[in-house]
Amino acid sequence: MRVNRILLSTTLVVVALVVQVSVLARLHLPGAVPDLLLLTVLGLAMVYGHTSGALIGFGAGLLADLAPPADHAAGRYALVLSVIGYAAGLIKPETGRLKSATAPMLVVVASAIGSTLLYAAVGALVGDTSARHVGIGGLLFSAALYDLLLAPFVVPAVMFLARRADNDPLAEAGSASKARDVSAGWLSSGTGLRIGGQRGSGLKMKAAKRSAARTGRIKGVKRL
């Protein structure tokens, strides 16, 4: 990963985690809690791709596992977010830009449901049955609903920042200069400018011929 990607991803993940723990977790909403950290990982993964998405998801999940008041085994949420980040990064188009908001919204819903199921499954493997007592159906519905309502305010902003940070000004300047060189070469190799030059040279030749003819006439008059 590039340095600017690492810096931006770390900053966004830390901010999302702080807001998640200090604000969203204290709202006491019925069912699940809006997962701002998940949405941040999704936005970054859909710009940077599946490999970076998996790495960002693992780092974000590990921070969430270690941040107080975590009450589960370390590495549990890191596994969940690394899988979600990898899967979300697979929809990244070749141009890096999505044509509509339908695909990101579907990814948000699928990720909210998938992360809840995967978290509960990993918890069942380590002996955590809290999701069974709360009700897995209510958790799935509330998680998908909360994340879907929060996604339009988070995912586009994260994707915008990721694209801005991923642009290299030197590379853009180099590509722009190359584009100018190519366009200049294309123009000089064949069309408007060259035709204009030919017309200009033709006009000069005609003017020279007229001047020579005028000079010849004047000399003829003097001889007479």
Side-chain angles (χ1 to χ4, degrees), residues 208-224:
K209 288 180 181 179
R210 286 197 298 269
S211 177
R214 190 182 304 110
T215 302
R217 288 196 299 270
I218 292 173
K219 290 182 178 180
V221 172
K222 287 183 178 179
R223 287 176 183 177
L224 293 174

Side-chain angles (χ1 to χ4, degrees), residues 42 45-46 49-50 86-94 97-98 103-104 107:
L42 291 179
M46 285 188 285
H50 58 279
Y86 181 87
L90 293 176
I91 73 165
K92 175 190 174 184
E94 294 296 331
R97 294 182 178 274
L98 298 170
V107 170

Side-chain angles (χ1 to χ4, degrees), residues 173-199:
S175 61
S177 62
K178 288 181 181 178
R180 287 194 296 268
D181 294 340
V182 170
S183 61
W186 179 74
L187 289 172
S188 62
S189 63
T191 51
L193 292 182
R194 189 173 180 180
I195 293 173
Q198 290 177 349
R199 288 177 179 174

